[in-house]
Short mmCIF file of all heavy atoms in Angstrom, two decimals:
data_model
loop_
_atom_site.label_atom_id
_atom_site.label_comp_id
_atom_site.label_asym_id
_atom_site.label_seq_id
_atom_site.Cartn_x
_atom_site.Cartn_y
_atom_site.Cartn_z
N SER B 100 2.29 26.07 23.57
CA SER B 100 3.71 25.86 23.47
C SER B 100 4.42 27.21 23.12
O SER B 100 5.56 27.45 23.54
CB SER B 100 4.09 24.82 22.45
OG SER B 100 3.45 23.59 22.79
N GLY B 101 3.74 28.06 22.39
CA GLY B 101 4.31 29.33 21.98
C GLY B 101 4.54 30.26 23.18
O GLY B 101 5.38 31.17 23.10
N ASP B 102 3.84 29.98 24.30
CA ASP B 102 4.02 30.84 25.49
C ASP B 102 5.38 30.60 26.15
O ASP B 102 5.78 31.37 27.05
CB ASP B 102 2.92 30.56 26.52
CG ASP B 102 1.55 30.95 25.98
OD1 ASP B 102 1.49 31.66 24.96
OD2 ASP B 102 0.55 30.54 26.58
N LEU B 103 6.09 29.54 25.69
CA LEU B 103 7.44 29.28 26.28
C LEU B 103 8.54 30.10 25.62
O LEU B 103 9.69 30.00 25.98
CB LEU B 103 7.76 27.79 26.14
CG LEU B 103 6.77 26.81 26.77
CD1 LEU B 103 7.18 25.36 26.49
CD2 LEU B 103 6.68 27.02 28.29
N ILE B 104 8.14 30.92 24.61
CA ILE B 104 9.13 31.76 23.94
C ILE B 104 9.36 33.02 24.77
O ILE B 104 8.38 33.76 25.09
CB ILE B 104 8.59 32.16 22.52
CG1 ILE B 104 8.31 30.89 21.69
CG2 ILE B 104 9.58 33.08 21.82
CD1 ILE B 104 7.68 31.17 20.32
N ALA B 105 10.60 33.30 25.15
CA ALA B 105 10.91 34.51 25.94
C ALA B 105 10.60 35.74 25.07
O ALA B 105 10.64 35.67 23.83
CB ALA B 105 12.36 34.49 26.35
N SER B 106 10.32 36.85 25.76
CA SER B 106 9.91 38.05 25.00
C SER B 106 11.06 38.59 24.12
O SER B 106 10.81 39.21 23.08
CB SER B 106 9.43 39.11 25.95
OG SER B 106 10.44 39.42 26.88
N ASP B 107 12.29 38.33 24.52
CA ASP B 107 13.42 38.82 23.73
C ASP B 107 14.06 37.70 22.90
O ASP B 107 15.22 37.84 22.50
CB ASP B 107 14.49 39.44 24.66
CG ASP B 107 15.05 38.44 25.65
OD1 ASP B 107 14.42 37.34 25.79
OD2 ASP B 107 16.08 38.70 26.27
N ALA B 108 13.29 36.66 22.61
CA ALA B 108 13.86 35.50 21.90
C ALA B 108 14.14 35.82 20.43
O ALA B 108 13.48 36.64 19.82
CB ALA B 108 12.88 34.33 22.01
N VAL B 109 15.13 35.10 19.89
CA VAL B 109 15.30 35.03 18.44
C VAL B 109 14.53 33.83 17.95
O VAL B 109 14.63 32.73 18.53
CB VAL B 109 16.78 34.96 18.04
CG1 VAL B 109 17.45 36.30 18.18
CG2 VAL B 109 17.55 33.87 18.79
N ILE B 110 13.75 33.98 16.90
CA ILE B 110 12.90 32.91 16.38
C ILE B 110 13.20 32.69 14.90
O ILE B 110 13.12 33.61 14.10
CB ILE B 110 11.40 33.28 16.51
CG1 ILE B 110 11.04 33.67 17.96
CG2 ILE B 110 10.52 32.12 16.01
CD1 ILE B 110 9.62 34.18 18.07
N LEU B 111 13.59 31.44 14.60
CA LEU B 111 13.76 31.06 13.18
C LEU B 111 12.48 30.32 12.73
O LEU B 111 12.16 29.29 13.32
CB LEU B 111 15.00 30.20 13.00
CG LEU B 111 15.20 29.57 11.59
CD1 LEU B 111 15.33 30.62 10.51
CD2 LEU B 111 16.42 28.64 11.62
N ASN B 112 11.83 30.84 11.74
CA ASN B 112 10.55 30.32 11.27
C ASN B 112 10.78 29.62 9.93
O ASN B 112 11.08 30.26 8.93
CB ASN B 112 9.59 31.54 11.11
CG ASN B 112 8.38 31.30 10.26
OD1 ASN B 112 7.94 30.15 10.03
ND2 ASN B 112 7.80 32.39 9.75
N ILE B 113 10.72 28.27 9.96
CA ILE B 113 11.00 27.46 8.77
C ILE B 113 9.69 26.84 8.28
O ILE B 113 9.06 26.05 9.02
CB ILE B 113 12.01 26.33 9.08
CG1 ILE B 113 13.33 26.91 9.61
CG2 ILE B 113 12.28 25.48 7.82
CD1 ILE B 113 14.33 25.86 10.01
N ASP B 114 9.29 27.19 7.06
CA ASP B 114 7.98 26.71 6.62
C ASP B 114 7.89 26.72 5.10
O ASP B 114 8.71 27.37 4.43
CB ASP B 114 6.87 27.58 7.26
CG ASP B 114 5.50 27.00 7.02
OD1 ASP B 114 5.34 25.79 6.88
OD2 ASP B 114 4.51 27.83 7.01
N HIS B 115 6.84 26.07 4.59
CA HIS B 115 6.59 26.07 3.13
C HIS B 115 5.13 26.43 2.81
O HIS B 115 4.68 26.21 1.69
CB HIS B 115 6.95 24.72 2.53
CG HIS B 115 6.05 23.59 2.93
ND1 HIS B 115 5.48 22.74 2.04
CD2 HIS B 115 5.58 23.22 4.15
CE1 HIS B 115 4.72 21.86 2.68
NE2 HIS B 115 4.78 22.12 3.98
N HIS B 116 4.39 26.97 3.77
CA HIS B 116 2.98 27.29 3.52
C HIS B 116 2.84 28.73 2.98
O HIS B 116 3.38 29.67 3.52
CB HIS B 116 2.17 27.16 4.80
CG HIS B 116 1.98 25.73 5.23
ND1 HIS B 116 2.79 25.16 6.19
CD2 HIS B 116 1.14 24.80 4.81
CE1 HIS B 116 2.41 23.89 6.35
NE2 HIS B 116 1.43 23.64 5.53
N LYS B 117 2.03 28.83 1.95
CA LYS B 117 1.76 30.13 1.31
C LYS B 117 1.20 31.14 2.31
O LYS B 117 1.40 32.35 2.18
CB LYS B 117 0.67 29.89 0.21
CG LYS B 117 0.77 30.76 -0.98
CD LYS B 117 0.05 30.20 -2.19
CE LYS B 117 -1.41 29.80 -1.98
NZ LYS B 117 -2.03 29.43 -3.28
N THR B 118 0.48 30.65 3.31
CA THR B 118 -0.19 31.50 4.29
C THR B 118 0.74 31.97 5.39
O THR B 118 0.30 32.68 6.30
CB THR B 118 -1.38 30.76 4.94
OG1 THR B 118 -0.86 29.48 5.37
CG2 THR B 118 -2.49 30.53 3.92
N ASN B 119 2.01 31.58 5.37
CA ASN B 119 2.94 31.96 6.47
C ASN B 119 3.03 33.47 6.62
O ASN B 119 3.16 34.19 5.64
CB ASN B 119 4.33 31.35 6.22
CG ASN B 119 5.19 31.39 7.47
OD1 ASN B 119 5.58 32.47 7.93
ND2 ASN B 119 5.46 30.25 8.06
N ASP B 120 2.90 33.92 7.88
CA ASP B 120 2.88 35.38 8.15
C ASP B 120 4.21 35.95 8.61
O ASP B 120 4.28 37.06 9.09
CB ASP B 120 1.75 35.73 9.11
CG ASP B 120 2.02 35.23 10.51
OD1 ASP B 120 3.09 34.64 10.75
OD2 ASP B 120 1.16 35.41 11.38
N PHE B 121 5.29 35.18 8.42
CA PHE B 121 6.64 35.65 8.73
C PHE B 121 6.74 36.16 10.18
O PHE B 121 7.22 37.26 10.44
CB PHE B 121 7.05 36.74 7.72
CG PHE B 121 7.44 36.21 6.40
CD1 PHE B 121 6.49 35.56 5.57
CD2 PHE B 121 8.74 36.28 5.93
CE1 PHE B 121 6.83 35.04 4.32
CE2 PHE B 121 9.10 35.75 4.68
CZ PHE B 121 8.14 35.14 3.88
N PHE B 122 6.30 35.30 11.11
CA PHE B 122 6.27 35.71 12.53
C PHE B 122 7.66 35.58 13.17
O PHE B 122 7.82 35.96 14.32
CB PHE B 122 5.26 34.88 13.32
CG PHE B 122 5.54 33.38 13.32
CD1 PHE B 122 6.31 32.82 14.35
CD2 PHE B 122 5.08 32.56 12.30
CE1 PHE B 122 6.57 31.45 14.36
CE2 PHE B 122 5.35 31.19 12.30
CZ PHE B 122 6.11 30.64 13.32
N GLY B 123 8.66 35.03 12.48
CA GLY B 123 9.98 34.86 13.07
C GLY B 123 10.80 36.15 13.07
O GLY B 123 10.45 37.09 12.39
N THR B 124 11.89 36.11 13.83
CA THR B 124 12.87 37.21 13.68
C THR B 124 13.70 36.90 12.46
O THR B 124 14.21 37.83 11.78
CB THR B 124 13.76 37.35 14.92
OG1 THR B 124 14.26 36.05 15.28
CG2 THR B 124 12.97 37.91 16.11
N GLU B 125 13.83 35.59 12.11
CA GLU B 125 14.36 35.15 10.82
C GLU B 125 13.33 34.24 10.19
O GLU B 125 12.69 33.44 10.91
CB GLU B 125 15.67 34.38 10.99
CG GLU B 125 16.78 35.15 11.72
CD GLU B 125 17.34 36.32 10.91
OE1 GLU B 125 17.00 36.43 9.71
OE2 GLU B 125 18.07 37.13 11.51
N ASN B 126 13.18 34.36 8.87
CA ASN B 126 12.14 33.56 8.23
C ASN B 126 12.67 32.87 6.99
O ASN B 126 13.17 33.56 6.09
CB ASN B 126 10.98 34.47 7.81
CG ASN B 126 10.33 35.13 9.02
OD1 ASN B 126 9.56 34.53 9.75
ND2 ASN B 126 10.71 36.38 9.29
N LEU B 127 12.59 31.54 7.01
CA LEU B 127 12.93 30.75 5.81
C LEU B 127 11.67 30.10 5.36
O LEU B 127 11.30 29.02 5.81
CB LEU B 127 14.03 29.72 6.16
CG LEU B 127 14.34 28.67 5.07
CD1 LEU B 127 14.57 29.29 3.71
CD2 LEU B 127 15.54 27.84 5.49
N VAL B 128 10.93 30.81 4.50
CA VAL B 128 9.67 30.34 4.01
C VAL B 128 9.79 30.06 2.51
O VAL B 128 9.85 30.96 1.72
CB VAL B 128 8.52 31.36 4.27
CG1 VAL B 128 7.19 30.86 3.73
CG2 VAL B 128 8.43 31.65 5.77
N ASP B 129 9.98 28.77 2.19
CA ASP B 129 10.26 28.37 0.80
C ASP B 129 9.02 27.73 0.20
O ASP B 129 8.76 26.55 0.42
CB ASP B 129 11.47 27.42 0.84
CG ASP B 129 11.93 27.08 -0.58
OD1 ASP B 129 11.22 27.42 -1.56
OD2 ASP B 129 13.01 26.45 -0.70
N LEU B 130 8.32 28.53 -0.58
CA LEU B 130 7.05 28.04 -1.15
C LEU B 130 7.26 26.98 -2.25
O LEU B 130 6.36 26.27 -2.63
CB LEU B 130 6.22 29.18 -1.75
CG LEU B 130 5.90 30.33 -0.76
CD1 LEU B 130 5.03 31.37 -1.43
CD2 LEU B 130 5.28 29.80 0.53
N ASP B 131 8.50 26.88 -2.75
CA ASP B 131 8.79 25.85 -3.76
C ASP B 131 9.00 24.47 -3.13
O ASP B 131 9.07 23.49 -3.88
CB ASP B 131 10.05 26.23 -4.55
CG ASP B 131 9.80 27.43 -5.46
OD1 ASP B 131 8.65 27.66 -5.84
OD2 ASP B 131 10.78 28.15 -5.74
N ALA B 132 9.10 24.42 -1.83
CA ALA B 132 9.37 23.14 -1.19
C ALA B 132 8.06 22.38 -1.03
O ALA B 132 7.04 22.95 -0.60
CB ALA B 132 10.01 23.36 0.17
N ALA B 133 8.08 21.10 -1.35
CA ALA B 133 6.89 20.25 -1.19
C ALA B 133 6.66 19.97 0.29
O ALA B 133 5.52 19.72 0.73
CB ALA B 133 7.05 18.93 -1.93
N ALA B 134 7.72 20.05 1.10
CA ALA B 134 7.63 19.68 2.50
C ALA B 134 8.62 20.49 3.30
O ALA B 134 9.67 20.90 2.76
CB ALA B 134 7.94 18.18 2.70
N THR B 135 8.34 20.73 4.56
CA THR B 135 9.32 21.43 5.41
C THR B 135 10.55 20.54 5.56
O THR B 135 11.68 21.01 5.69
CB THR B 135 8.70 21.76 6.77
OG1 THR B 135 7.62 22.67 6.51
CG2 THR B 135 9.69 22.47 7.68
N CYS B 136 10.38 19.24 5.48
CA CYS B 136 11.52 18.30 5.53
C CYS B 136 12.50 18.56 4.39
O CYS B 136 13.71 18.38 4.56
CB CYS B 136 11.03 16.87 5.47
SG CYS B 136 10.44 16.28 7.08
N GLN B 137 11.99 18.95 3.25
CA GLN B 137 12.82 19.28 2.10
C GLN B 137 13.72 20.49 2.45
O GLN B 137 14.92 20.53 2.12
CB GLN B 137 11.92 19.58 0.92
CG GLN B 137 12.63 19.81 -0.40
CD GLN B 137 11.62 19.97 -1.56
OE1 GLN B 137 10.41 19.80 -1.36
NE2 GLN B 137 12.11 20.29 -2.74
N ILE B 138 13.13 21.47 3.16
CA ILE B 138 13.89 22.67 3.58
C ILE B 138 14.99 22.30 4.57
O ILE B 138 16.11 22.75 4.45
CB ILE B 138 12.94 23.73 4.15
CG1 ILE B 138 11.80 24.03 3.16
CG2 ILE B 138 13.71 25.00 4.55
CD1 ILE B 138 10.76 25.02 3.69
N VAL B 139 14.61 21.46 5.56
CA VAL B 139 15.61 21.05 6.56
C VAL B 139 16.76 20.28 5.89
O VAL B 139 17.93 20.50 6.19
CB VAL B 139 14.95 20.22 7.68
CG1 VAL B 139 16.04 19.64 8.62
CG2 VAL B 139 13.98 21.08 8.46
N TYR B 140 16.40 19.44 4.91
CA TYR B 140 17.46 18.75 4.16
C TYR B 140 18.37 19.73 3.51
O TYR B 140 19.64 19.61 3.58
CB TYR B 140 16.85 17.83 3.10
CG TYR B 140 17.91 17.13 2.26
CD1 TYR B 140 18.48 15.95 2.68
CD2 TYR B 140 18.37 17.73 1.07
CE1 TYR B 140 19.49 15.34 1.95
CE2 TYR B 140 19.37 17.13 0.34
CZ TYR B 140 19.93 15.93 0.78
OH TYR B 140 20.91 15.36 0.05
N LYS B 141 17.84 20.78 2.92
CA LYS B 141 18.65 21.74 2.19
C LYS B 141 19.47 22.60 3.16
O LYS B 141 20.58 23.05 2.82
CB LYS B 141 17.78 22.60 1.29
CG LYS B 141 17.27 21.78 0.09
CD LYS B 141 16.19 22.49 -0.69
CE LYS B 141 16.76 23.56 -1.63
NZ LYS B 141 15.69 24.14 -2.48
N ILE B 142 18.96 22.80 4.35
CA ILE B 142 19.78 23.48 5.38
C ILE B 142 20.99 22.63 5.72
O ILE B 142 22.14 23.11 5.83
CB ILE B 142 18.97 23.77 6.66
CG1 ILE B 142 17.83 24.75 6.38
CG2 ILE B 142 19.86 24.28 7.80
CD1 ILE B 142 16.84 24.94 7.50
N SER B 143 20.78 21.29 5.84
CA SER B 143 21.91 20.41 6.14
C SER B 143 22.94 20.46 5.04
O SER B 143 24.14 20.39 5.28
CB SER B 143 21.43 18.98 6.39
OG SER B 143 21.18 18.30 5.17
N ARG B 144 22.49 20.57 3.78
CA ARG B 144 23.43 20.74 2.65
C ARG B 144 24.17 22.05 2.77
O ARG B 144 25.39 22.12 2.55
CB ARG B 144 22.71 20.70 1.31
CG ARG B 144 22.05 19.37 0.87
CD ARG B 144 23.02 18.24 0.67
NE ARG B 144 23.30 17.67 1.94
CZ ARG B 144 24.46 17.24 2.34
NH1 ARG B 144 25.53 17.33 1.56
NH2 ARG B 144 24.63 16.75 3.56
N GLU B 145 23.47 23.11 3.09
CA GLU B 145 24.05 24.41 3.26
C GLU B 145 25.13 24.37 4.36
O GLU B 145 26.19 25.02 4.24
CB GLU B 145 22.96 25.45 3.60
CG GLU B 145 23.43 26.84 3.85
CD GLU B 145 24.03 27.50 2.61
OE1 GLU B 145 23.50 27.26 1.52
OE2 GLU B 145 25.05 28.22 2.73
N MET B 146 24.85 23.57 5.40
CA MET B 146 25.81 23.46 6.52
C MET B 146 26.93 22.46 6.23
O MET B 146 27.85 22.31 7.02
CB MET B 146 25.10 23.01 7.77
CG MET B 146 24.00 23.96 8.23
SD MET B 146 23.08 23.30 9.63
CE MET B 146 24.33 23.49 10.93
N GLU B 147 26.78 21.75 5.08
CA GLU B 147 27.69 20.67 4.76
C GLU B 147 27.77 19.65 5.90
O GLU B 147 28.86 19.14 6.23
CB GLU B 147 29.08 21.16 4.34
CG GLU B 147 28.97 21.99 3.08
CD GLU B 147 30.31 22.58 2.63
OE1 GLU B 147 31.36 22.07 3.06
OE2 GLU B 147 30.28 23.57 1.86
N ALA B 148 26.62 19.38 6.53
CA ALA B 148 26.56 18.45 7.65
C ALA B 148 26.12 17.08 7.15
O ALA B 148 25.23 16.98 6.32
CB ALA B 148 25.58 18.94 8.71
N GLU B 149 26.76 16.05 7.62
CA GLU B 149 26.37 14.66 7.32
C GLU B 149 25.09 14.34 8.07
O GLU B 149 25.02 14.61 9.27
CB GLU B 149 27.43 13.68 7.78
CG GLU B 149 28.65 13.58 6.89
CD GLU B 149 28.36 12.89 5.58
OE1 GLU B 149 27.74 11.80 5.61
OE2 GLU B 149 28.72 13.45 4.53
N LEU B 150 24.12 13.79 7.43
CA LEU B 150 22.90 13.38 8.11
C LEU B 150 23.09 11.96 8.64
O LEU B 150 23.59 11.08 7.92
CB LEU B 150 21.68 13.42 7.17
CG LEU B 150 21.20 14.80 6.77
CD1 LEU B 150 20.13 14.67 5.68
CD2 LEU B 150 20.62 15.56 7.97
N SER B 151 22.61 11.73 9.86
CA SER B 151 22.61 10.34 10.39
C SER B 151 21.44 9.61 9.78
O SER B 151 20.52 10.23 9.22
CB SER B 151 22.45 10.40 11.91
OG SER B 151 21.20 10.92 12.25
N LEU B 152 21.44 8.27 9.93
CA LEU B 152 20.29 7.50 9.44
C LEU B 152 19.03 7.93 10.17
O LEU B 152 17.93 7.98 9.57
CB LEU B 152 20.57 5.99 9.63
CG LEU B 152 19.41 5.05 9.32
CD1 LEU B 152 18.86 5.25 7.90
CD2 LEU B 152 19.83 3.60 9.51
N ASP B 153 19.11 8.22 11.46
CA ASP B 153 17.91 8.66 12.20
C ASP B 153 17.38 9.96 11.62
O ASP B 153 16.17 10.10 11.41
CB ASP B 153 18.26 8.89 13.68
CG ASP B 153 18.35 7.55 14.45
OD1 ASP B 153 17.94 6.52 13.87
OD2 ASP B 153 18.76 7.54 15.60
N ALA B 154 18.25 10.91 11.35
CA ALA B 154 17.80 12.19 10.78
C ALA B 154 17.19 11.94 9.40
O ALA B 154 16.11 12.48 9.08
CB ALA B 154 18.99 13.14 10.65
N ALA B 155 17.82 11.08 8.62
CA ALA B 155 17.34 10.79 7.27
C ALA B 155 15.96 10.17 7.30
O ALA B 155 15.07 10.51 6.50
CB ALA B 155 18.32 9.87 6.52
N THR B 156 15.73 9.26 8.26
CA THR B 156 14.42 8.58 8.39
C THR B 156 13.34 9.61 8.71
O THR B 156 12.25 9.59 8.14
CB THR B 156 14.48 7.48 9.47
OG1 THR B 156 15.45 6.52 9.06
CG2 THR B 156 13.14 6.80 9.63
N CYS B 157 13.66 10.55 9.60
CA CYS B 157 12.69 11.61 9.92
C CYS B 157 12.37 12.44 8.70
O CYS B 157 11.20 12.71 8.41
CB CYS B 157 13.28 12.50 11.05
SG CYS B 157 13.48 11.64 12.63
N LEU B 158 13.38 12.87 7.98
CA LEU B 158 13.16 13.75 6.81
C LEU B 158 12.40 13.01 5.70
O LEU B 158 11.55 13.57 5.05
CB LEU B 158 14.48 14.30 6.29
CG LEU B 158 15.23 15.22 7.30
CD1 LEU B 158 16.53 15.74 6.66
CD2 LEU B 158 14.37 16.39 7.75
N TYR B 159 12.72 11.75 5.52
CA TYR B 159 12.03 10.96 4.46
C TYR B 159 10.52 10.89 4.80
O TYR B 159 9.69 10.96 3.90
CB TYR B 159 12.63 9.55 4.42
CG TYR B 159 12.23 8.75 3.19
CD1 TYR B 159 12.95 8.87 2.01
CD2 TYR B 159 11.19 7.85 3.20
CE1 TYR B 159 12.62 8.16 0.87
CE2 TYR B 159 10.84 7.11 2.07
CZ TYR B 159 11.58 7.26 0.90
OH TYR B 159 11.24 6.52 -0.22
N THR B 160 10.22 10.78 6.09
CA THR B 160 8.83 10.70 6.53
C THR B 160 8.00 11.90 6.05
O THR B 160 6.89 11.76 5.58
CB THR B 160 8.77 10.54 8.05
OG1 THR B 160 9.46 9.33 8.39
CG2 THR B 160 7.34 10.47 8.56
N GLY B 161 8.57 13.09 6.23
CA GLY B 161 7.84 14.28 5.83
C GLY B 161 7.70 14.37 4.31
O GLY B 161 6.68 14.83 3.81
N LEU B 162 8.73 13.93 3.60
CA LEU B 162 8.64 13.90 2.10
C LEU B 162 7.48 12.97 1.68
O LEU B 162 6.67 13.32 0.83
CB LEU B 162 9.92 13.38 1.47
CG LEU B 162 11.14 14.29 1.48
CD1 LEU B 162 12.27 13.65 0.66
CD2 LEU B 162 10.85 15.70 0.95
N VAL B 163 7.40 11.81 2.33
CA VAL B 163 6.35 10.85 2.01
C VAL B 163 4.98 11.42 2.30
O VAL B 163 4.08 11.41 1.46
CB VAL B 163 6.57 9.53 2.79
CG1 VAL B 163 5.32 8.65 2.72
CG2 VAL B 163 7.74 8.75 2.25
N THR B 164 4.79 11.97 3.51
CA THR B 164 3.44 12.37 3.90
C THR B 164 2.98 13.60 3.13
O THR B 164 1.83 13.66 2.69
CB THR B 164 3.32 12.59 5.42
OG1 THR B 164 4.26 13.57 5.83
CG2 THR B 164 3.55 11.29 6.17
N ASP B 165 3.85 14.57 2.93
CA ASP B 165 3.40 15.82 2.28
C ASP B 165 3.28 15.72 0.76
O ASP B 165 2.70 16.60 0.12
CB ASP B 165 4.27 17.02 2.67
CG ASP B 165 3.62 17.83 3.78
OD1 ASP B 165 2.80 17.24 4.53
OD2 ASP B 165 3.90 19.03 3.95
#
Side-chain angles (χ1 to χ4, degrees):
Chain B
S100 301
D102 296 347
L103 302 177
I104 302 175
S106 58
D107 61 346
V109 284
I110 306 172
L111 172 60
N112 162 23
I113 302 176
D114 189 27
H115 68 130
H116 290 97
K117 212 159 53 173
T118 50
N119 194 292
D120 69 2
F121 285 66
F122 63 92
T124 48
E125 303 291 350
N126 299 281
L127 169 50
V128 179
D129 186 349
L130 303 184
D131 290 334
T135 299
C136 281
Q137 187 174 354
I138 306 177
V139 172
Y140 177 86
K141 289 169 79 174
I142 295 172
S143 80
R144 293 297 81 219
E145 179 64 40
M146 299 175 73
E147 296 178 21
E149 283 288 312
L150 289 171
S151 65
L152 174 55
D153 281 351
T156 299
C157 295
L158 297 182
Y159 195 84
T160 299
L162 288 186
V163 166
T164 57
D165 262 25

